[in-house]
Amino acid sequence: MPERKKKKRKNKLLNLSNKELKALQKTVHCYPGATDSWSVFLHKALLSKDPRAHTMADPWQTAYDFAVQVARAAGAVIRKAGEEEIKIQTKSSAVDLVTKTDERVEKIIIGSLKEQFGDGTHCFIGEESVSKGEACILTDKPTWIIDPVDGTTNFVHGFPFVAVSIAFAVNKQLEFGVVYSCLEDKMYKARRGQGAFCDDEQIQVSDVKDINKSIIISEHGTDRSIEKVTKIFSTMQKILRIPVHGLRGSGTAATNMCLVASGAVEAFFEIGIHCWDIAAGAVIVQEAGGLILDVDGGPFDLMSRRMMSANNDVIARRIIKEIEIFPVVRDDAPVQKK
Ligand code: IPD
């Protein structure tokens, strides 16, 4: 019988034989959390001498680019949903609102991320999943931290600031943050060490050091106990009387932080926010030249539900002097059994 010649099968995407592909896979080892398609992308980039081959040194660039696309798509869903009738439910209090859109958009975001990076090495912390009982623990694993609709109350009322917030941390360090202010159609993003951008224009915090020339943002959150409301308004009163030029609040923590990053205001602080509200914004503020601290001036702790973001240390420390701190339960506190 004539010997049948083995047909060499080529990988369609890369135009490489299996042997060649295997050899490449050995040289370009898989990055933590890389899926096949991601490795293929890297191989392709390397082979074609594509400038994106720098992802070799920066393994999370593809994840970053993907997060931007997902945030934009999620924002389009939110905009469309805003044109329809919105059914409201409540969570921790009568003013802590949630809608079907929050749940749907979170499913879309986490679903798309899992399709790309869902090989079991990535973790996901999403506002709505946590409110349904999923753990909110930050480990060293690559972790996505997601607020599908930041500014749900705004969304319900048609107040024009609603954001999709997606952050990514590895070894508990925030690697990048994406905030899509979807009603304004503004895409804020920052990758650690690479600057902060709004619609591809680099942004920077303001250089104001004189507190009397500043605008400060604070929010009152969703806890309406008399003790907390009293402390929050007492703090605001003291800040107003410094005096500052003004106090503001957009109703979304993620957008507030982008306003600090782009120099529209000097600082934003809040006690009672959650990690998903501020994770992406934290990278954006820092990459825009600002700083993130605890509200007592100590180091920032993402799970503490306390955050001060400011253009510089002088402004931050002056505001911190006035903040009346009240206790909050950490995001990663063990869930109390009912
Ligand atoms: C809220 C917003 C608001 C802040 C609240 C958050 P949500 O997020 O970020 O600005 O004051 O503390 O809970 O519930 O609309 O995603």
Side-chain angles (χ1 to χ4, degrees), residues 96 127 147 149-153 219 221 251-253 256 270 272-274 277:
D96 187 6
E127 174 171 13
D147 190 342
V149 181
D150 188 41
T152 303
T153 308
E219 301 268 354
T252 115
N256 289 338
E270 189 175 340
I273 24 89
H274 295 276
D277 298 315

Side-chain angles (χ1 to χ4, degrees), residues 88-98 152-153 156-157 221-225:
I88 316 165
Q89 286 176 307
T90 56
K91 295 194 283 186
S92 64
S93 74
V95 294
D96 187 6
L97 310 182
V98 63
T152 303
T153 308
V156 166
H157 288 264
T222 49
D223 186 329
R224 301 297 158 81
S225 65

Side-chain angles (χ1 to χ4, degrees), residues 158-296:
F159 192 78
F161 299 98
V162 177
V164 179
S165 174
I166 303 178
F168 183 69
V170 183
N171 293 324
K172 300 194 185 78
Q173 176 162 47
L174 288 163
E175 286 292 334
F176 60 74
V178 175
V179 171
Y180 180 44
S181 180
C182 61
L183 303 185
E184 301 179 280
D185 187 22
K186 282 189 177 170
M187 179 66 75
Y188 295 92
K189 58 181 185 179
R191 170 81 181 82
R192 186 164 64 86
Q194 293 178 12
F197 298 84
C198 175
D199 294 336
D200 294 328
E201 291 238 341
Q202 187 150 13
I203 51 173
Q204 249 196 323
V205 293
S206 98
D207 57 8
V208 169
K209 283 199 172 143
D210 180 350
I211 192 72
N212 301 124
K213 297 199 169 98
S214 69
I215 290 188
I216 308 299
I217 294 185
S218 188
E219 301 268 354
H220 42 64
T222 49
D223 186 329
R224 301 297 158 81
S225 65
I226 187 69
E227 298 79 25
K228 290 186 184 169
V229 171
T230 307
K231 290 216 170 194
I232 289 167
F233 281 92
S234 167
T235 299
M236 290 197 189
Q237 192 178 0
K238 287 195 283 169
I239 294 171
L240 266 179
R241 289 192 44 78
I242 289 174
V244 294
H245 272 180
L247 277 182
R248 299 284 185 272
S250 75
T252 115
T255 304
N256 289 338
M257 294 178 90
C258 293
L259 291 169
V260 174
S262 53
V265 303
E266 277 59 49
F268 161 52
F269 68 93
E270 189 175 340
I271 301 175
I273 24 89
H274 295 276
C275 59
W276 45 79
D277 298 315
I278 53 172
V283 193
I284 296 172
V285 169
Q286 283 168 314
E287 286 301 314
L291 76 165
I292 310 284
L293 296 170
D294 186 82
V295 287
D296 68 1

